């Protein structure tokens, strides 16, 4: 079940051609906060049971090796997703002017029992350079123009600890001020649909996050917003 290091994740740059057109249309709604689970959502393993610390990053920080020599990295599309999602511009749903621009914040909600190890791996895994969004020409776009540690892109916060993900989302809402209805959540466990009682839209991930999964998740969120 473990994924060896992918050639895609060792690249020094990211192409934008894989971004679905429905996500780059600035006239369409986008969530204010997009939240990801970790295990079997962003990476293909359980951090608390598969990984034997200590971890050591490879030379380009595209993956890390544990004490048993096993290599750990993201699913192939994840580096570009984490770099490029925050550079996209769309329209906010409700909460004021319907044409107010929005760029999604990113967050993490994980119930792992190895939170320190998960955070450590997110620091070790670096995201290749992402080009600045051509739609604005703004060199200050989040994620544009430089490689970053994966953990640094989660400006909406990282809730990583055992327990209910309802609590995770309550903490994310308190930290960001984003309404639950403006949040989209990707997770591989159906039991975490209990977060939808808050108003969050959850999209069930089957084989890791891909651009296709992100597009379908955003489409479902838009449908629930009446778009």
């Amino acid at each position: 079940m473990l994924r060896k290091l992918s050639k895609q994740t060792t690249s020094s740059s990211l192409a934008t051609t894989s971004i679905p057109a429905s996500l780059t249309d600035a006239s369409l709604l986008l969530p204010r906060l997009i939240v990801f689970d970790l295990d079997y959502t962003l990476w293909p393993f359980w951090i608390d049971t598969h990984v034997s610390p200590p971890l050591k990053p490879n030379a380009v920080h595209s993956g890390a090796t544990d004490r048993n020599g096993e290599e750990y990295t993201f699913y192939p599309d994840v580096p570009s997703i984490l770099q490029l999602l925050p550079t996209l511009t769309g329209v906010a749903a409700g909460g004021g002017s319907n044409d107010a621009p929005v760029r999604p914040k990113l967050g993490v909600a994980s119930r792992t029992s190895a939170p320190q190890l998960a955070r450590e791996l997110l620091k070790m895994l670096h995201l290749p350079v992402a080009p600045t969004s051509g739609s604005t020409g703004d060199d200050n776009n989040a994620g544009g123009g430089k490689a970053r540690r994966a953990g640094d892109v989660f400006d909406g916060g990282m809730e990583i600890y055992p327990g209910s993900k309802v609590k995770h989302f309550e903490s994310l809402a308190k930290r960001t001020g984003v309404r639950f209805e403006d949040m989209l959540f990707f997770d591989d466990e159906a039991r975490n649909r209990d977060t939808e009682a808050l108003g969050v839209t959850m999209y069930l991930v089957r084989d890791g996050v891909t651009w296709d999964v992100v597009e379908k998740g955003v489409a479902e969120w838009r449908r629930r917003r009446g778009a």
Side-chain angles (χ1 to χ4, degrees):
M1 298 294 290
L2 302 184
R3 182 182 294 276
K4 296 298 182 181
L5 294 181
S6 166
K7 291 182 180 179
Q8 178 175 336
T9 63
T10 63
S11 172
S12 62
S13 63
L14 294 172
T16 61
T17 54
S18 59
I19 303 178
S22 66
L23 300 180
T24 60
D25 187 338
S27 69
L28 299 179
L29 298 181
L30 280 179
R32 291 182 180 273
L33 178 63
I34 300 178
V35 182
F36 298 94
D37 173 47
L38 294 176
D39 297 343
Y40 288 100
T41 299
L42 291 188
W43 52 46
F45 50 86
W46 286 303
I47 190 75
D48 52 2
T49 60
H50 288 158
V51 181
S52 299
L55 286 168
K56 181 180 180 180
N58 63 21
V60 293
H61 287 266
S62 62
T65 305
D66 74 354
R67 69 183 179 191
N68 296 323
E70 289 286 346
E71 298 173 301
Y72 298 90
T73 188
F74 289 124
Y75 284 107
D77 277 5
V78 168
S80 65
I81 289 168
L82 296 183
Q83 272 281 40
L84 298 175
L85 271 184
T87 72
L88 303 180
T89 302
V91 177
S97 173
N98 285 335
D99 48 44
V102 61
R103 279 184 181 158
K105 292 181 178 293
L106 302 186
V108 170
S110 170
R111 63 167 85 241
T112 181
S113 59
Q116 183 175 348
L117 189 59
R119 289 177 179 272
E120 182 181 347
L121 185 55
L122 287 171
K123 289 180 180 179
M124 288 184 179
L125 297 179
H126 291 187
L127 305 177
V129 174
T132 302
S133 172
S135 61
T136 64
D138 181 1
D139 289 337
N140 295 318
N141 283 355
K146 64 180 180 179
R148 295 193 289 172
R149 296 183 301 182
D152 291 345
V153 304
F154 296 108
D155 53 348
M158 295 191 294
E159 300 295 316
I160 307 176
Y161 46 82
S164 170
K165 293 204 177 180
V166 170
K167 180 179 179 181
H168 291 163
F169 273 87
E170 289 173 342
S171 296
L172 289 169
K174 183 176 181 180
R175 178 183 294 108
T176 63
V178 175
R179 303 181 309 159
F180 295 119
E181 292 79 4
D182 291 327
M183 298 182 186
L184 172 60
F185 179 34
F186 293 95
D187 195 294
D188 68 308
E189 293 188 84
R191 62 173 172 162
N192 293 318
R193 286 196 187 278
D194 60 358
T195 56
E196 295 202 327
L198 298 171
V200 174
T201 296
M202 178 185 151
Y203 191 82
L204 188 63
V205 177
R206 299 295 185 182
D207 296 297
V209 170
T210 64
W211 277 113
D212 182 61
V213 167
V214 171
E215 181 180 33
K216 290 177 179 177
V218 171
E220 175 61 17
W221 177 85
R222 286 170 174 163
R223 185 188 68 79
R224 297 189 189 188
R225 304 283 78 76

